[in-house]
Each structure stands twice: as structure tokens, then as C-alpha cells.
Amino acid sequence: MAGVDYAPPTKRSVLISGHPTSISLEPMFWRALETAARERGRPVNALVAKIDATRLDAERPPNLTSAIRQWLFVEASLTRE
């Protein structure tokens, strides 16, 4: 697949409700998350906190990293429509 930036996950620390949380995402997902936060005019930490709160309301909440990837996938799908 041409143009895919295959790279291992990178761990970063974000603050959720004042608590540091480590998240490991591949660079392409970090870039997508940063772009989504910028488009919404909010810091990455705030967007991650929103995703975290939403996932906790799910019947079977995924881990935070999975929730971020799924959220990004849905957002990307909505922008293509």
C-alpha cells in the first residue's frame, strides 16, 4: 500500500481530569488526533478526556487507546460523507 507510514506505537502522556495517563498510538493516529483537536479548537488532552468520558458510557467500554482509534475512524468516515 503506497503512502502508508508504517511505524510502531509511540507512548505519550496526557492529562485526563488532572491525572497523567500514558497512551501508545502509532504516529499516524497521533497526527490525526492532533488535527482533530486543532479543528475543534481544543487541546489534545481535552479531546482525549472527551473520548474517555464517552467510552465509559458504552455497554462494554474498550480500553482508551482502542476508543481513540475507533473515534478517529468514525470521525474520518463522517468527513468523507
Side-chain angles (χ1 to χ4, degrees):
M1 205 183 290
V4 177
D5 180 19
Y6 291 109
T10 302
K11 186 179 280 192
R12 293 192 195 175
S13 184
V14 297
L15 286 177
I16 300 175
S17 301
H19 301 285
T21 303
S22 290
I23 300 173
S24 292
L25 289 170
E26 294 77 9
M28 69 173 61
F29 288 108
W30 281 118
R31 286 191 300 274
L33 189 61
E34 290 163 351
T35 299
R38 189 171 43 256
E39 288 172 351
R40 286 159 180 75
R42 58 188 349 171
V44 170
N45 288 345
L47 182 55
V48 170
K50 177 181 180 267
I51 295 168
D52 185 47
T54 303
R55 83 173 170 100
L56 293 175
D57 289 337
E59 185 177 320
R60 294 177 45 208
N63 66 48
L64 181 56
T65 301
S66 294
I68 292 169
R69 286 187 185 107
Q70 291 174 56
W71 186 89
L72 288 168
F73 181 83
V74 168
E75 287 301 306
S77 298
L78 292 175
T79 59
R80 280 188 245 138
E81 292 180 350

